[in-house]
Amino acid sequence: MPAAFPTISKIKFEGPKSRNPLAFKHYNAKEVVAGKTMHDHLRFAVVYWHTFRGTGSDPFGAGTMQRPWDDGSNTVANAQNRARVAFEFIEKLGAPYYCWHDRDVAPEGATLGESNKNFDAVAGVLKEEQQRTGVKLLWGTANLFSNPRFVHGASTSCNADVFAFAAAQVKKAMEVTHELGGEGYTFWGGREGYQTLLNTDMKREQAHLARLLHLAVAYKKQIGFKGQFYIEPKPKEPTKHQYDSDAAACLNFLREYDLLPHFKLNIETNHATLAGHSMQHELEVAGAAKALGSIDANTGDELLGWDTDQFPTNIYLTTYTMLSVLKYGGFTTGGVNFDAKVRRESFEPLDLFYAHIGGMDAFARGLKIAAAIHKDGRLAEFVKQRYASWDTGIGKKIESGKATMKEIEAYILKQGEVAPNTSGRQEYLENLINEFI
Ligand code: XUL
Ligand code: CO
């Protein structure tokens, strides 16, 4: 097969002074930061859907992407060829992982049986290419939202047959993930939500979503798949309300249905902002519950209110992200997955390289800055000191559950008024962050 990117060789680290747009300025896979290589900290993954299936179409116009290797046919042969191109790209970029939906990699057939056959035929090539390049599967997932059968949702559909189809699709996607040595499996509830409550039995729909997840947990055990399960929160789009709306809602849902021990969260930046939160907020909610698993790295646009999935280049964003990731112990099964797409106007294959190189460099900088802030220790010490009143006396007694209402009342009656005696020092802390940027 002729090379799809003949003019591009392996992307190298050339350091911050390099002016080569096809080189890393900050991502040096082998460099050790805070006790681990950048490679092991960041565990970058390329997504199959945007990078190899994205057409550049939007609600106002057709696709624009130039992908000369793709013959445009919905055939297994074209899909197999595309798989080889994908690995040429990932290998040249030097990302250690990739991720897919079942329907990204292989064409959907007229029946589930046919789709499964197509999927196996392309999975064979994925396996060969993984072995050839050493690139690994971070996670797999099933597309339970594009086909019109999922118009009312998948596991939350009003039609039990649609649930059955979705469950069968998840079963197969889990099997292929397992076969390819995937380190995780993600559930993003594409249409698991509602457009109007007038036609919706919310309690029943949520119980059905939990049923699918319990079935998956049982099947995982049955086939011996050891990868991590993730739920990916998103508040809306395509539905007006998704049941997995944000990290807190997901955690509550998982707890309510006894699923929490089996899942972690895959936090996506643009989903966080659609939910009216910052990425940092979502990471802290997940981390505090010991459920921070992986991230879908991208960003929205301040002036556009939808899921634009842009490549992340904002150093504050990557710094705050990596501050939280490091704080909760770093990635184990998860990684930094670029669920991001080049703009419709960036239609040349070369743009795929620029986009990923920029994202990887932005995260490498975020990692280095966050590690330096952790090492410096002033930020963590400030937070510790801010809560010092809880480490002794009445604070300690209350926190440990040993103080009664009566004792607390007696204490405060004796104490008199309590003055607001400590500043929050927000500006000081923002300046401190800027010392490292
Ligand atoms: C959609 C989204 C998905 C999931 C995988 O907004 O983020 O691509 O990451 O289904
Ligand atoms: Co995503």
Side-chain angles (χ1 to χ4, degrees):
M1 191 185 92
F5 309 98
T7 58
I8 295 170
S9 38
K10 177 124 182 125
I11 307 300
K12 294 200 197 77
F13 170 71
E14 293 185 1
K17 293 211 172 89
S18 167
R19 291 292 170 264
N20 176 3
L22 287 170
F24 295 117
K25 318 287 190 297
H26 297 275
Y27 179 61
N28 182 6
K30 290 190 229 113
E31 186 179 327
V32 174
V33 177
K36 269 201 311 201
T37 61
M38 285 198 186
H39 174 280
D40 290 352
H41 268 295
L42 295 164
R43 297 164 57 87
F44 287 124
V46 172
V47 296
Y48 214 93
W49 51 100
H50 291 312
T51 299
F52 307 110
R53 303 309 311 272
T55 62
S57 66
D58 72 9
F60 302 92
T64 55
M65 294 299 150
Q66 296 169 0
R67 303 290 181 251
W69 55 83
D70 203 302
D71 68 15
S73 73
N74 200 26
T75 58
V76 168
N78 191 29
Q80 288 174 322
N81 179 59
R82 188 190 297 121
R84 298 199 194 278
V85 171
F87 276 83
E88 181 192 332
F89 174 81
I90 301 168
E91 196 185 16
K92 284 183 168 167
L93 182 68
Y97 291 97
Y98 77 119
C99 294
W100 46 244
H101 297 88
D102 48 1
R103 300 298 176 252
D104 307 329
V105 292
E108 180 151 25
T111 61
L112 182 67
E114 215 178 277
S115 301
N116 288 351
K117 231 173 96 198
N118 294 347
F119 195 10
D120 285 334
V122 184
V125 176
L126 296 176
K127 195 171 183 177
E128 267 174 46
E129 290 293 299
Q130 285 186 209
Q131 281 162 355
R132 183 183 67 77
T133 58
V135 171
K136 293 186 274 186
L137 180 63
L138 190 68
W139 49 259
T141 187
N143 178 329
L144 305 178
F145 43 90
S146 294
N147 189 291
R149 90 174 66 81
F150 298 122
V151 61
H152 299 301
S155 68
T156 64
S157 173
C158 46
N159 182 344
D161 283 354
V162 174
F163 180 107
F165 202 108
Q169 220 182 297
V170 167
K171 173 180 175 289
K172 179 68 181 174
M174 281 175 62
E175 288 163 5
V176 176
T177 301
H178 185 36
E179 171 66 22
L180 295 179
E183 296 185 20
Y185 185 91
T186 292
F187 292 85
W188 169 59
R191 291 184 195 272
E192 311 292 36
Y194 61 80
Q195 294 294 5
T196 171
L197 285 169
L198 292 174
N199 66 14
T200 301
D201 185 336
M202 193 198 276
K203 176 89 192 122
R204 220 167 168 186
E205 292 200 1
Q206 290 191 325
H208 295 164
L209 173 56
R211 175 62 49 218
L212 176 74
L213 300 181
H214 272 294
L215 284 164
V217 167
Y219 193 60
K220 179 178 189 238
K221 207 167 160 198
Q222 197 181 321
I223 61 174
F225 173 52
K226 298 275 188 292
Q228 175 65 50
F229 272 170
Y230 305 107
I231 299 262
E232 184 177 318
K234 184 175 184 181
K236 55 190 168 191
E237 205 196 287
T239 69
K240 94 166 163 191
H241 176 85
Q242 310 261 134
Y243 295 132
D244 301 333
S245 55
D246 65 5
C250 286
L251 290 170
N252 183 57
F253 170 83
L254 291 169
R255 266 193 209 104
E256 183 175 349
Y257 289 98
D258 292 328
L259 287 158
L260 193 53
H262 307 288
F263 287 83
K264 286 188 175 170
L265 301 183
N266 178 37
I267 303 291
E268 176 163 328
T269 320
N270 207 163
H271 296 181
T273 47
L274 279 178
H277 304 309
S278 63
M279 179 64 166
Q280 192 186 14
H281 168 94
E282 289 292 83
L283 293 168
E284 288 294 321
V285 171
K290 297 192 170 53
L292 173 52
S294 198
I295 66 172
D296 269 12
N298 60 23
T299 189
D301 185 292
E302 272 173 24
L303 304 180
L304 296 172
W306 61 89
D307 195 15
T308 56
D309 285 342
Q310 285 158 240
F311 275 84
T313 52
N314 183 318
I315 308 302
Y316 284 99
L317 170 66
T318 58
T319 298
Y320 286 129
T321 299
M322 292 315 297
L323 268 175
S324 293
V325 169
L326 292 180
K327 177 171 161 189
Y328 294 105
F331 296 119
T332 50
T333 54
V336 176
N337 176 44
F338 287 112
D339 189 358
K341 57 186 175 202
V342 288
R343 300 301 82 199
R344 186 168 187 266
E345 301 78 7
S346 305
F347 42 70
E348 292 179 30
L350 180 62
D351 293 303
L352 293 173
F353 279 93
Y354 291 149
H356 285 85
I357 290 169
M360 288 162 82
D361 264 347
F363 264 90
R365 286 179 78 178
L367 167 64
K368 287 190 281 189
I369 295 165
I373 293 169
H374 275 296
K375 190 165 175 226
D376 172 81
R378 276 177 291 162
L379 182 63
E381 185 55 28
F382 180 89
V383 177
K384 191 163 165 265
Q385 284 309 320
R386 190 161 179 253
Y387 295 90
S389 69
W390 291 92
D391 297 334
T392 54
I394 191 74
K396 193 171 178 186
K397 226 170 162 194
I398 296 170
E399 201 173 67
S400 61
K402 287 191 185 124
T404 63
M405 273 294 207
K406 220 173 139 197
E407 281 169 38
I408 296 171
E409 183 198 42
Y411 169 83
I412 210 68
L413 284 172
K414 206 171 140 206
Q415 186 82 1
E417 191 44 78
V418 181
N421 58 353
T422 50
S423 165
R425 298 259 189 272
Q426 179 169 334
E427 299 76 8
Y428 159 82
L429 294 170
E430 286 166 350
N431 297 350
L432 190 151
I433 297 291
N434 274 358
E435 274 182 37
F436 295 86
I437 298 261

